[in-house]
Amino acid sequence: MTATTDEAAETAPQATGPSGPTEPPGPSGPSLASPSRFSPGVLFRTYGPLIGIAIVALVLLVWAPGSLSSFRLSNLGKYCAWALAAVGIGLAWGRGGMLVLGQGVFFGLGGYAMAMHMKLEAAGPGNVPDFMVLYGDATMPTWWEPFRSGPFTLFAIVALPALVSFVLGYAILKRRVKGAYFAILTQALAVAFATLLIATIKETGGVNGLNTFTTFFGHNLYDPTVKKNIYMIVAGLVIVCLLVVWQLYRSRFGELLVATRDAEERIRFLGYDPANIKLVAFVVAAVMASIGGAMFVPIAGIISPADVGATASIMMIAGVALGGRTSLLGPALGAIAVGFGQSTLSENFPNQWAYAQGGLFIVVLLFLPFGIASIWPKLKGLVSRRSSGADVPSLEPEAAT
């Protein structure tokens, strides 16, 4: 017997490609082909963030040092220190879904570690910090002594928050604490940390904190060149952290972090432990906050419980929300904008600046819940819809005449 034409067509082998069966060529093939990875659109989506980081680097490292006065440059340095913490919050909250309201704890760990070293530098070899003579019996706790070493201080700025955040994160995330409970718990840690600092006046300076620094790793803090170099360091660290986070967003880990935020149970069914994924983001955010706190001290000249408590932690969150928590540059730019707004409004409206700032937050978050960074995607989508509606021909068949 001979097969009919229809049977032959059904039993004919299907063409296969490297990734499986392929559809036979047809008139719709070329129009449905995916865009080349070298097309302008794909290249912009892939490397566009690098262009944004480069622009931020030019502003912070080239324009600002040459255009701003020493006072304004010092203020911008403080904003950059807050931006370092904000970049980590963007990773943990924007991509990981963890509303970390206690980043002041890690900001304070780095800040107090740096301040302890600088106080011991100012006191000189074999001497104790001045506040221990004023408030205590002129004896220094044993755990202060290692901070005479600059290398140990730098190590502690990174290792101490990493260890503390790992222990806290493991205890919290492994018990599947999330959402509002996670936010309240982290904020409670910030309150407890600030209270502890206030209570230990003989060891940490109490409510007055640590201040009156004179040198920064042997360099005179009153030298304008040294101040400018410190600013360049903190601005450079912002760029480095942005590059690190950009690479994390593009990596497999970044994809898993977003998937954990959006569908945690599905990630668990696929064999991954969401707690481990979120724990990595939590630790990275803590280290970035600690580095920001460490660089805040030589620029501001003080670190106190007011800089690390619940209020300070909420202001960090406010900057991230203002800029756009899910974007790459939004958290850093939002933190700088909040710092600039605080300085500008307090200078012009000494008694009403807090109300003006609160009103600005309400307006922005009411109309832009995903922050200022969401303006560009909305405009782009609006333009695309209008152009597609005007240029794309109708697919309905024309009526016969």
Side-chain angles (χ1 to χ4, degrees):
M1 293 177 63
T2 58
T4 64
T5 304
D6 293 337
E7 292 174 345
E10 292 175 358
T11 58
Q14 189 177 18
T16 59
S19 59
T22 60
E23 293 294 332
S28 62
S31 62
L32 298 179
S34 59
S36 170
R37 61 178 179 174
F38 298 108
S39 65
V42 174
L43 289 175
F44 182 80
R45 284 194 300 270
T46 304
Y47 298 103
L50 283 181
I51 299 175
I53 294 174
I55 295 174
V56 174
L58 286 175
V59 172
L60 294 181
L61 299 175
V62 178
W63 176 81
S67 303
L68 300 181
S69 64
S70 177
F71 174 73
R72 296 299 178 187
L73 192 66
S74 178
N75 280 347
L76 182 57
K78 290 192 296 184
Y79 311 154
C80 287
W82 291 329
L84 285 169
V87 172
I89 294 174
L91 175 67
W93 182 29
R95 296 302 175 108
M98 297 175 287
L99 181 54
V100 283
L101 291 178
Q103 290 304 92
V105 174
F106 308 111
F107 191 87
L109 288 176
Y112 271 86
M114 179 64 77
M116 289 164 64
H117 172 72
M118 295 174 67
K119 288 295 290 185
L120 291 173
E121 266 194 338
N127 297 322
V128 300
D130 51 3
F131 73 90
M132 292 184 180
V133 178
L134 180 62
Y135 301 136
D137 54 1
T139 58
M140 186 174 67
T142 306
W143 49 271
W144 265 73
E145 193 63 36
F147 289 93
R148 291 188 187 273
S149 169
F152 176 84
T153 301
L154 295 178
F155 172 76
I157 289 170
V158 176
L160 186 59
L163 177 62
V164 172
S165 62
F166 178 82
V167 173
L168 292 176
Y170 189 88
I172 297 172
L173 297 173
K174 284 294 185 178
R175 286 169 173 77
R176 302 187 184 182
V177 178
K178 55 185 177 179
Y181 300 101
F182 181 88
I184 293 172
L185 186 55
T186 54
Q187 188 176 37
L189 292 173
V191 174
F193 183 61
T195 304
L196 176 64
L197 292 174
I198 294 173
T200 55
I201 186 172
K202 297 180 181 179
E203 292 82 12
T204 63
V207 69
N208 296 322
L210 302 179
N211 47 48
T212 63
F213 310 115
T214 56
T215 59
F216 178 72
F217 289 90
H219 299 279
N220 184 8
L221 272 179
Y222 297 99
D223 185 350
T225 303
V226 174
K227 290 183 177 180
K228 185 175 181 179
N229 290 337
I230 294 174
Y231 164 78
M232 296 296 287
I233 293 173
V234 66
L237 287 171
V238 171
I239 304 304
V240 170
C241 287
L242 285 174
L243 290 172
V244 170
V245 171
W246 173 72
Q247 186 60 40
L248 288 177
Y249 285 179
R250 300 173 65 239
S251 66
R252 179 67 173 171
F253 168 77
E255 296 176 351
L256 286 173
L257 186 61
V258 173
T260 301
R261 177 197 67 190
D262 297 337
E264 183 172 326
E265 293 303 323
R266 292 186 180 184
I267 291 297
R268 184 174 287 108
F269 292 153
L270 291 174
Y272 295 97
D273 188 350
N276 292 338
I277 299 170
K278 293 193 289 187
L279 181 60
V280 173
F282 188 64
V283 172
V284 171
V287 172
M288 289 184 178
S290 177
I291 295 173
M295 296 309 304
F296 176 84
V297 172
I299 296 175
I302 185 174
I303 186 76
S304 71
D307 300 313
V308 304
T311 302
S313 300
I314 292 175
M315 290 307 298
M316 296 178 192
I317 288 289
V320 176
L322 180 67
R325 66 182 184 271
T326 59
S327 64
L328 174 63
L329 300 178
L333 298 180
I336 294 175
V338 168
F340 177 77
Q342 281 183 328
S343 300
T344 304
L345 292 174
S346 61
E347 290 174 3
N348 297 317
F349 308 100
N351 298 322
Q352 296 85 18
W353 70 271
Y355 301 104
Q357 188 179 45
L360 178 63
F361 285 150
I362 293 173
V363 170
V364 171
L365 296 180
L366 183 63
F367 294 98
L368 297 171
F370 292 99
I372 297 175
S374 63
I375 293 178
W376 170 247
K378 287 185 176 181
L379 291 177
K380 188 169 62 173
L382 181 62
V383 172
S384 298
R385 285 194 298 270
R386 288 186 175 181
S387 61
S388 62
D391 299 336
V392 174
S394 174
L395 298 180
E396 294 294 330
E398 296 182 1
T401 57

